[in-house]
Amino acid sequence: MYYKIPTVIINGMRVVEHKELGYFKILPFDLYNEASIRIFPAGEVLTPGKLIMLKNYAKLYTSDILTDKTENENADDKENNNLKKLTSFTFDTLDPLDFDTVTNKNNILSSNLQIKIKYFMQKTLDILNQGYYLEGISKLNQLSNIMMTDIFKQLFNSKKGSQIRFLGEYEICHPLNVAIISGLIAKKLEYTNDIIEKLVLAGLVHDIGKFCLKIENESPLLTTNETIVADHTILGYDLIKNKLGLEDSIAKAILEHHENNDGSGYPQGLSSETITEFAQIINVANFYDNLANNRTAYHIVGNRDVLRTMLDIGTKRFAAKILYTFIHMFDYDDSADFNDMML
């Protein structure tokens, strides 16, 4: 099919319309964001998931400028080979038998599906840990799409928190749980699917700023000392908004997810309606999962203890609409011991 290429040029680069990308199965040019960072190279296969991910960018650009080869060519080739090796997996090709992990025997999702999702997340964390943020975000966009098309259909009618959580490795399970719980809250609030998918992505990347931190003898993803990782909200915002060019709603959710309703949070000390609703939702989901993982000062045994504690904390920390939407999602009599749920 013939498609006339637009001729809008900004700062020497041609603007690429999202509509234009729909005409290509294989990307014929390098694609850049507003910060002039390459998102995809020419030759990239444009799957539906990638096209959905690209909608998160307000503007896209391409350039036909060719660069000369330099003495760093071998180093670049080595890095490209490393990146290709890290990113060559797809959700469908992952074999659950290749990943040794625990599952939640109470979860509505099958054990195989739980393992595949965790395996996909682990491999994506490997990408992010090596500083390939654009590629990592691309994988998380794919996972967000999988959640929207499959996972939420199975979990939406669950009345027990013990039936929706991933258990095991905190660094893998926490972003998954925050994304799922945030998405379920948004569904209860009757958000559109497009907005829910953006919120799910925000949940998956809410702690991405921790990858920018260097802490001696301790992993920023695993530390329970909130003080030493407090900068992760600002670093995450800068990475998502200014370096990767994702839209403002996702960036602000990362910046504000530790802001509290009474103004006691960080980094800006915002309160009530000055906190974006994405951030208010992620605050609830984040605190819930940290309670359930006993990563707070509160001692928690099961989901009923979590709900009781969050009600006790109440609107000092949480926006009332979000808190009570969350509480009403679950059965207060869900007393399953989290430690007894692993298989």
Side-chain angles (χ1 to χ4, degrees):
M1 180 182 295
Y2 176 77
Y3 179 73
K4 185 177 180 180
I5 297 176
T7 56
V8 178
I9 305 295
I10 298 178
N11 294 329
M13 299 187 77
R14 180 174 69 81
V15 176
V16 179
E17 301 293 340
H18 289 95
K19 179 182 177 181
E20 177 183 348
L21 297 174
Y23 289 88
F24 301 119
K25 290 184 178 180
I26 298 177
L27 191 65
F29 42 69
D30 289 349
L31 195 63
Y32 298 83
N33 65 13
E34 286 183 285
S36 297
I37 297 173
R38 189 172 71 172
I39 303 170
F40 291 134
E44 187 81 16
V45 177
L46 290 178
T47 63
K50 290 175 183 175
L51 289 171
I52 291 170
M53 181 274 283
L54 290 171
K55 290 181 180 179
N56 288 315
Y57 293 90
K59 290 188 181 298
L60 297 167
Y61 302 88
T62 187
S63 172
D64 295 328
I65 298 173
L66 298 176
T67 58
D68 293 331
K69 295 183 178 181
T70 70
E71 65 273 12
N72 294 321
E73 185 179 29
N74 289 337
D76 290 342
D77 287 344
K78 184 176 180 181
E79 182 173 356
N80 288 335
N81 288 335
N82 180 49
L83 180 57
K84 186 177 292 186
K85 182 178 179 181
L86 281 171
T87 60
S88 61
F89 66 93
T90 66
F91 187 79
D92 290 336
T93 58
L94 291 179
D95 186 346
L97 295 177
D98 291 338
F99 189 48
D100 184 18
T101 187
V102 299
T103 60
N104 176 2
K105 65 183 180 183
N106 289 4
N107 201 305
I108 291 173
L109 304 178
S110 69
S111 293
N112 273 355
L113 183 54
Q114 289 180 60
I115 294 171
K116 283 189 72 171
I117 293 168
K118 290 178 68 176
Y119 194 11
F120 190 96
M121 191 69 196
Q122 175 62 71
K123 291 178 79 65
T124 302
L125 289 175
D126 291 342
I127 296 171
L128 293 171
N129 267 318
Q130 295 201 33
Y132 298 118
Y133 297 114
L134 277 171
E135 292 78 8
I137 292 293
S138 175
K139 291 295 185 184
L140 292 178
N141 265 289
Q142 294 171 36
L143 183 56
S144 175
N145 184 249
I146 291 166
M147 288 183 174
M148 293 297 298
T149 56
D150 184 24
I151 295 172
F152 283 127
K153 291 179 182 179
Q154 300 183 53
L155 298 180
F156 184 60
N157 292 320
S158 172
K159 294 296 292 181
K160 295 185 177 182
S162 57
Q163 293 179 332
I164 66 171
R165 289 184 63 243
F166 286 83
L167 301 179
E169 308 86 346
Y170 177 80
E171 68 274 22
I172 299 174
C173 297
H174 180 62
L176 292 172
N177 290 333
V178 170
I180 287 171
I181 295 162
S182 296
L184 291 175
I185 292 172
K187 278 185 170 288
K188 291 292 185 182
L189 292 172
E190 298 183 343
Y191 283 19
T192 65
N193 284 341
D194 286 347
I195 294 177
I196 294 173
E197 188 161 0
K198 288 172 181 163
L199 177 59
V200 169
L201 177 61
L204 288 171
V205 300
H206 76 282
D207 277 341
I208 196 170
K210 291 182 179 179
F211 290 98
C212 304
L213 293 168
K214 301 298 180 185
I215 302 174
E216 190 173 352
N217 299 324
E218 192 168 14
S219 166
L221 291 176
L222 297 178
T223 183
T224 57
N225 187 337
E226 196 166 310
T227 302
I228 65 175
V229 295
D231 288 343
H232 78 280
T233 55
I234 298 172
L235 294 170
Y237 174 85
D238 180 63
L239 179 63
I240 290 295
K241 176 68 175 178
N242 299 326
K243 294 185 174 67
L244 302 183
L246 294 187
E247 66 176 60
D248 201 46
S249 63
I250 297 173
K252 282 192 173 179
I254 293 169
L255 178 65
E256 300 173 5
H257 74 274
H258 280 286
E259 301 285 5
N260 294 333
N261 199 46
D262 64 356
S264 64
Y266 65 85
Q268 298 170 287
L270 302 178
S271 62
S272 58
E273 289 82 10
T274 61
I275 307 169
T276 60
E277 196 153 283
F278 268 25
Q280 292 173 352
I281 292 172
I282 291 177
N283 186 359
V284 168
N286 180 61
F287 197 77
Y288 165 78
D289 192 60
N290 280 331
L291 278 174
N293 277 292
N294 276 309
R295 296 177 64 85
T296 71
Y298 303 91
H299 179 67
I300 301 300
V301 174
N303 202 62
R304 183 163 52 189
D305 289 339
V306 174
L307 300 181
R308 183 188 299 120
T309 300
M310 294 185 72
L311 282 171
D312 287 344
I313 296 170
T315 54
K316 287 183 179 181
R317 182 177 184 117
F318 311 114
K321 180 177 78 169
I322 308 302
L323 173 62
Y324 294 116
T325 297
F326 167 78
I327 293 294
H328 291 146
M329 281 167 45
F330 298 126
D331 183 351
Y332 191 74
D333 291 329
D334 180 13
S335 58
D337 189 323
F338 288 133
N339 292 326
D340 294 337
M341 289 159 46
M342 289 190 190
L343 184 64

